[in-house]
Amino acid sequence: VQLQASGGGLVQPGGSLRLSCVASGGTLADYPSGWLRQAPGEEREGISCLTKEGSASYADSVKGRFTISRDSDKNTLYLQMNNLTPADTGVYYCALPCRWGKTPFFGSRGQGTQVTVSS
């Protein structure tokens, strides 16, 4: 399954963005899938994972602000990001499969999309 993320951009603190991840070559709903990000100079951080059954998990850093969802008809994964802060700046990737836990696991990821939060 190939993944292509889009929807990033420059947004002011407090703003919102919705990222999209289109899957091709396979059915997204057959896998748990999620999002991770990498800030400049930092390790990649898993931020959300959505199970096949539709159960979502989030990192504490985004809980209450970000919402992951999936549109099976469009074979697309989304990440709605609200109340963004400069700490949310980074390259965002979608990936599958994923598994949430003390040490979240994310499999193959596609090309990322840059999110910059700045005034």
Side-chain angles (χ1 to χ4, degrees), residues 60-110:
D60 288 344
S61 58
V62 307
K63 200 172 292 183
R65 300 186 298 122
F66 290 13
T67 303
I68 191 171
S69 63
R70 180 175 59 225
D71 186 329
S72 297
D73 290 340
K74 296 182 179 179
N75 216 26
T76 300
L77 185 72
Y78 298 101
L79 186 69
Q80 177 66 44
M81 307 187 295
N82 298 329
N83 195 22
L84 287 161
T85 74
D88 296 314
T89 294
V91 180
Y92 283 68
Y93 303 88
C94 52
L96 64 84
C98 60
R99 184 176 63 248
W100 202 255
K102 188 175 181 180
T103 305
F105 166 79
F106 290 83
S108 299
R109 63 185 184 276

Side-chain angles (χ1 to χ4, degrees), residues 16-49:
S16 298
L17 282 175
R18 189 177 79 155
L19 305 184
S20 300
C21 174
V22 178
S24 59
T27 301
L28 189 65
D30 287 346
Y31 305 87
S33 53
W35 294 90
L36 59 164
R37 68 186 178 189
Q38 187 163 21
E42 296 191 14
E43 298 284 326
R44 278 192 295 271
E45 176 191 14
I47 55 176
S48 185
C49 178

